Amino acid sequence: MTAKIISGNKIAEEMRAEMKIEIEQLKSKHNLVPGLAVVLVGENPASVVYVRNKKKSCEEIGINSYEHKLPADTSEEKLLALVDKLNADDSVHGILVQLPLPKQIDENKVLNKIIPTKDVDGFHPFNVGRMLVGDPIFLPCTPHGVQQMLIRSGVKVEGSHVVIVGRSNIVGKPVAAILVQKAKGADATVTICHSRTKNLPAVTQLGDILIAAIGVPEFVKADMVREGAVVIDVGVNRVEDKTNPKGFKLVGDVDFEAVKAKASAISPVPGGVGPMTITMLLHNTIRAAKLKHNIA
Ligand code: BQF
């Protein structure tokens, strides 16, 4: 078998075209332009690229973006004060603090400071709880993007066995919470495995749908994948590539060439989950603006 490619680029483009029209209507009917504040502390090269990506994507569909760049040695107190200011700013509907933060800053303290109604990353414990009980306000962008990719590429999630490799708060745990929910595009049987899982290939082989989110380049090999499985690669890893002018290339958590020969469908890196993550951030920002103005 050779797998169908699930293009995140293509699905993201479709969704952004829909959102662009929705934003034009918000502007003409309600005089409302959604606004996103993006906060970057320090100059981690990958983070700089992600923030630029997010700003550019906002502008392309008509969302205002406000960038706040702080030096790497910013104190926790200073950052918390900025979040408070953004919490009170009426033109800011969504607040995104780019992770990871420098080590002098307690990430959880900062995420807890963002008012839950502007928490477009969905990382505040209030929103995590709402997600877990199946009554979400904002779903976290990468897990929600993975679900949308599955739905929009015609993969039947209901009743399927989803195996997730990785248990982070950003991807593994929330994607499990979303796909196990009694709901359309969910209703899966979910298994989470990780670095301490015994006989990992035997467990990942059980997946009708296999989601790789472990953060190790090309970790998932063909022998870990069931014949005909759907494979979603969440990994975004920079690996050295001297033939590339940038000196690196992006690879996922899946050995793409080998697994492609065994899967029925597979998402690539780049151009897979990454663009969907950004798309769901735009979706959440529009949602935040509508919530504030009581627009259905
Ligand atoms: C693509 C992220 C790890 C840690 C913190 C498009 C992105 C990436 C790849 C992107 C990511 C990864 C983001 C592609 C945002 C996804 O074409 O394949 C977009 O910008 N991402 C982030 O903000 O923080 C991270 C990964």
Side-chain angles (χ1 to χ4, degrees), residues 276-290:
M276 293 301 295
T277 296
I278 309 299
T279 303
M280 301 326 291
L281 172 68
L282 305 174
H283 167 87
N284 281 348
T285 304
I286 296 169
R287 181 163 165 75
K290 293 200 303 188

Side-chain angles (χ1 to χ4, degrees), residues 50 53-54 98-99 236 250 270-272 274-275 277-278:
Y50 297 149
N53 231 331
K54 290 170 188 181
Q98 182 64 44
L99 302 182
V236 183
L250 287 187
T277 296
I278 309 299

Side-chain angles (χ1 to χ4, degrees), residues 16 36 38-40 42-58 65 67 69 96-100 121 142 170 215 234-239 248-253 269-270 273-275 277-279 281-282:
R16 291 180 201 201
L36 176 69
V38 182
V39 181
L40 174 62
E43 293 170 23
N44 175 304
S47 293
V48 169
V49 173
Y50 297 149
V51 163
R52 196 190 304 141
N53 231 331
K54 290 170 188 181
K55 267 187 56 192
K56 183 164 162 276
S57 302
C58 280
S65 78
E67 190 174 17
K69 286 184 174 172
L96 180 144
V97 178
Q98 182 64 44
L99 302 182
D121 258 341
T142 301
I170 316 265
V234 182
V236 183
N237 307 290
R238 287 183 169 202
V239 301
F248 68 88
K249 61 175 178 176
L250 287 187
V251 305
D253 291 352
V269 177
V273 174
T277 296
I278 309 299
T279 303
L281 172 68
L282 305 174

Side-chain angles (χ1 to χ4, degrees), residues 7-82:
S7 169
N9 275 336
K10 204 167 136 209
I11 299 167
E13 196 183 306
E14 282 167 23
M15 294 185 74
R16 291 180 201 201
E18 294 166 16
M19 289 190 281
K20 192 168 181 198
I21 293 166
E22 188 176 10
I23 290 167
E24 281 160 11
Q25 289 171 348
L26 287 176
K27 172 80 185 148
S28 62
K29 288 192 194 154
H30 303 275
N31 197 30
L32 173 60
V33 180
L36 176 69
V38 182
V39 181
L40 174 62
V41 186
E43 293 170 23
N44 175 304
S47 293
V48 169
V49 173
Y50 297 149
V51 163
R52 196 190 304 141
N53 231 331
K54 290 170 188 181
K55 267 187 56 192
K56 183 164 162 276
S57 302
C58 280
E59 282 150 23
E60 280 169 2
I61 70 161
I63 294 174
N64 284 336
S65 78
Y66 310 100
E67 190 174 17
H68 296 266
K69 286 184 174 172
L70 303 177
D73 64 355
T74 299
S75 68
E76 184 179 280
E77 194 187 358
K78 218 38 192 289
L79 179 57
L80 291 172
L82 173 60

